Each structure stands twice: as C-alpha cells, then as structure tokens.
Amino acid sequence: MEFKTPKSIKTTTTTTNNESTEEEKQTNIQQIKNCLQLNYTDPDWSGIPANSYKLTVIKDGREINSIDLDGRSKTVFGRLDTCDVQLEHPTVSRHHAVLQYKPREEEGDLEEGFYLYDL
C-alpha cells in the first residue's frame, strides 16, 4: 500500500470592499475578548470580609510581598494582567483560581471563611 502526502492547499481571501475586512477584525477582537474574559460568577453567599486579611508571598524562606484582601469578595489568580495576583509560570492558566470569601454562616450552609476554586 502506498501512502501519499496531501498537497498543501493555498487559500486566498479576496475582499471586494473594506467592510468585510473590518468585520473580520471585529470578529477576531471579539474572539480574543471571549478568551480573556473571566468565566466565573460570585456565588449568592459571597461578601466582603469585615476583618483585615492579607496573603503573604514567601520565596526562599523570606517574605517578599503581601497582598491586601480588604474590600473585595474574591481574588483572582492567573497569568493575565487583569488578574488580582499574577503568577508567571507556564503551568499557570490565564485565569487559574479564585479565592472567594463567605462572610456569614447559615444553618446547614458552608462555614464562614475563604474558599479556593480551581478555574
């Protein structure tokens, strides 16, 4: 049996006016925005902590930074500039995780505190 390598197919896009080019650009921009948009919605039980909290960044046993969590119900971790905490590592997703705060405890509900969600 003989295997044949497919010939490469050349495609060309011809536009009769600038509208289709502009339309293609807008479609591409929208696709990029959809890819970069955070796909997470705060749960109904979320809220802002009454007390002051911070995350401490430790590297090689030394504190190198601290991240204030005051005034926000969630903190987003990931590679994008739009994330609250940017992590520069190839294994980290654009939107990697969310640290969500739950302020009140109701009967049979989750306890008050922070919950980490993998995105």
Side-chain angles (χ1 to χ4, degrees), residues 45 101-106 108-115:
W45 49 257
Y101 182 73
K102 181 182 182 308
R104 57 195 171 280
E105 185 175 354
E106 297 172 9
D109 203 2
L110 296 171
E111 291 184 26
E112 177 180 349
F114 289 93
Y115 291 85

Side-chain angles (χ1 to χ4, degrees), residues 70-115:
D70 293 345
R72 60 175 107 183
S73 64
K74 71 175 179 284
T75 303
V76 181
F77 297 81
R79 285 193 337 251
L80 292 178
D81 293 341
T82 56
C83 294
D84 300 313
V85 179
Q86 295 174 11
L87 304 171
E88 297 178 9
H89 194 274
T91 61
V92 174
S93 305
R94 291 178 183 118
H95 295 117
H96 197 81
V98 171
L99 185 63
Q100 182 72 59
Y101 182 73
K102 181 182 182 308
R104 57 195 171 280
E105 185 175 354
E106 297 172 9
E107 188 69 33
D109 203 2
L110 296 171
E111 291 184 26
E112 177 180 349
F114 289 93
Y115 291 85

Side-chain angles (χ1 to χ4, degrees), residues 4-114:
K4 294 184 179 181
T5 307
K7 295 179 182 178
S8 61
I9 301 171
K10 276 190 167 182
T11 59
T12 57
T13 305
T14 56
T15 57
T16 56
N17 56 34
N18 287 340
E19 287 181 22
S20 60
T21 304
E22 186 61 31
E23 186 177 315
E24 289 171 2
K25 286 180 186 178
Q26 291 303 321
T27 301
N28 289 340
I29 289 170
Q30 188 59 45
Q31 288 174 342
I32 291 169
K33 285 181 179 179
N34 290 343
C35 181
L36 300 179
Q37 185 177 9
L38 178 62
N39 190 19
Y40 178 81
T41 304
D42 286 8
D44 293 336
W45 49 257
S46 71
I48 297 173
N51 297 325
S52 180
Y53 293 99
K54 69 177 183 173
L55 294 174
T56 303
V57 181
I58 299 174
K59 185 174 183 178
D60 297 327
R62 292 184 19 230
E63 182 179 328
I64 61 169
N65 194 7
S66 76
I67 301 161
D68 189 17
L69 301 179
D70 293 345
R72 60 175 107 183
S73 64
K74 71 175 179 284
T75 303
V76 181
F77 297 81
R79 285 193 337 251
L80 292 178
D81 293 341
T82 56
C83 294
D84 300 313
V85 179
Q86 295 174 11
L87 304 171
E88 297 178 9
H89 194 274
T91 61
V92 174
S93 305
R94 291 178 183 118
H95 295 117
H96 197 81
V98 171
L99 185 63
Q100 182 72 59
Y101 182 73
K102 181 182 182 308
R104 57 195 171 280
E105 185 175 354
E106 297 172 9
E107 188 69 33
D109 203 2
L110 296 171
E111 291 184 26
E112 177 180 349
F114 289 93

